[in-house]
Each structure stands twice: as structure tokens, then as C-alpha cells.
């Protein structure tokens, strides 16, 4: 998963937007730990998803793997990783073309043209990170529940799993 080439590396992440509606986008899963019940991804620190997570850390994510016909859905709490060793280790594992995405001067999602087609201007307020590594954010989701759905055979199988406070995983089979 660390290099983004796992079959289910493309994960659709939902956050709560500033208007209270779902904000949905695709991120690439970079790490997953069963023991710690975490899934991590990277993004630009200036992105809307970071603003959403800081305002309301509740997230949901879903991945579907076409070949196996398995869907995994999770819910949890996202946090921007502050641990410098963890951030640096992830940064060092990224391929050059992935690091390059953090060289963009403009924050993601900035309008380039107005409705009438005129180029938009953007002025940095001085607080925007200047270096690619400063723009890099590692986000970790602490997973609280998971649903697994297998539609590869005539009888579809679906299970729900959740963690209690110990933390210990519990699971039940549910109707597909």
C-alpha cells in the first residue's frame, strides 16, 4: 500500500464540509495497521480535506476492488500526524513524481479562471508553506468500524466489525 499500487489503494474519503454536507474525494491509502486500527494517506496541508478534518475529524471511507469484487467501508476519526519521524519516513518512501505534487504554489482547489473566463489572481497572505515538505501532510484515520462486502459469488457475504474500548474487534454477519 505504501507505494499506492495495492489493488484497493484508491480510497474514497468522505469528510464533513464547512456547510455540513459530505465532502467526497479519492485519496491513495499509504499505510494500514490492523494492530493499531489505522489507515493513512497523504495530502497537501492547504487542501479542503485538511480544513474539514480540523473542523470535524469524523470520516468515512470506502474502497472497492474490481478483481475480487470486495468492498471495504470504514468509519473513524482522522488526525493530521504531527510526529516528525513518521512524517519524514513517509516522505522518504514517496516516489519523486509523488513528491512533485507538493511543489505547486497554488493550494488545491483554487479557481484559475472566473465565470467569464478571465484569469483569477491569488495572493499569498504570507502564511502559506513555501517548501514542498512543509506542504506535505500525513493523515491517519483511527478506525472504529468496518464493513466487508463480497459480491463475487451468487451468495453475497457481508460482515460488520467494530472495536470496543479494550480495544478488541467484534464482528457479525449482516444481510448484504
Amino acid at each position: 500500500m505504501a507505494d499506492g499500487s495495492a489493488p484497493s489503494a484508491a480510497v474514497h474519503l468522505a469528510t464533513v464540509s464547512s456547510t455540513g454536507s459530505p465532502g467526497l474525494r479519492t485519496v491513495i491509502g499509504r499505510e494500514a495497521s490492523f494492530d493499531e486500527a489505522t489507515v493513512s494517506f497523504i495530502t497537501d496541508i492547504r487542501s479542503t480535506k485538511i480544513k474539514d478534518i480540523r473542523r470535524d475529524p469524523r470520516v468515512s471511507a470506502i474502497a472497492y476492488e474490481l478483481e475480487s469484487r470486495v468492498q471495504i467501508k470504514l468509519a473513524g476519526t482522522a488526525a493530521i500526524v504531527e510526529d516528525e519521524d513518521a512524517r519524514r519516513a513517509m516522505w522518504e518512501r514517496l516516489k519523486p513524481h509523488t513528491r512533485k505534487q507538493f511543489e505547486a504554489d497554488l493550494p488545491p482547489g483554487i479557481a484559475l479562471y472566473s465565470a467569464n473566463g478571465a484569469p483569477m489572481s491569488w495572493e499569498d497572505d504570507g502564511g502559506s508553506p513555501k517548501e514542498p515538505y512543509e506542504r506535505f501532510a500525513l493523515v491517519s484515520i483511527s478506525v472504529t468500524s468496518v464493513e466487508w462486502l463480497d459480491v463475487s459469488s451468487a451468495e453475497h457475504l457481508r460482515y460488520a466489525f467494530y472495536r470496543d474500548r479494550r480495544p478488541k474487534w467484534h464482528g457479525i454477519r449482516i444481510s448484504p
Side-chain angles (χ1 to χ4, degrees):
M1 191 177 252
D3 69 358
S5 64
S8 300
V11 177
H12 307 290
L13 176 74
T15 59
V16 180
S17 74
S18 61
T19 63
S21 62
L24 186 64
R25 77 279 287 155
T26 303
V27 296
I28 303 299
R30 297 291 174 170
E31 286 183 322
S33 170
F34 179 80
D35 292 337
E36 295 177 23
T38 58
V39 174
S40 300
F41 64 91
I42 63 169
T43 191
D44 191 307
I45 195 73
R46 304 166 296 171
S47 71
T48 303
K49 70 181 98 31
I50 291 291
K51 292 174 185 151
D52 290 352
I53 289 167
R54 285 183 170 149
R55 189 177 39 263
D56 187 337
R58 295 174 299 162
V59 298
S60 184
I62 193 165
Y64 182 75
E65 211 260 328
L66 285 170
E67 189 172 319
S68 68
R69 298 180 60 196
V70 169
Q71 171 185 284
I72 297 175
K73 182 171 62 169
L74 62 87
T77 304
I80 294 97
V81 174
E82 302 292 339
D83 180 288
E84 190 57 33
D85 291 338
R87 286 185 71 237
R88 182 59 68 181
M90 177 59 73
W91 178 259
E92 295 299 327
R93 286 196 306 263
L94 298 177
K95 293 179 179 177
H97 72 271
T98 303
R99 287 189 203 172
K100 190 164 183 59
Q101 75 184 16
F102 297 99
E103 294 177 8
D105 288 332
L106 295 177
I110 292 290
L112 299 177
Y113 298 93
S114 68
N116 66 6
M120 298 285 287
S121 63
W122 179 78
E123 289 188 30
D124 185 357
D125 63 3
S128 187
K130 305 289 186 244
E131 298 299 319
Y133 181 73
E134 294 171 0
R135 296 172 179 154
F136 162 77
L138 175 60
V139 178
S140 181
I141 301 170
S142 294
V143 179
T144 54
S145 65
V146 175
E147 282 189 25
W148 178 84
L149 174 63
D150 182 339
V151 295
S152 64
S153 64
E155 181 186 10
H156 296 176
L157 299 174
R158 186 175 181 186
Y159 291 86
F161 303 91
Y162 68 93
R163 283 182 77 169
D164 63 21
R165 294 176 191 229
R166 287 178 262 171
K168 182 177 177 177
W169 284 101
H170 302 275
I172 59 169
R173 185 170 176 188
I174 58 178
S175 173

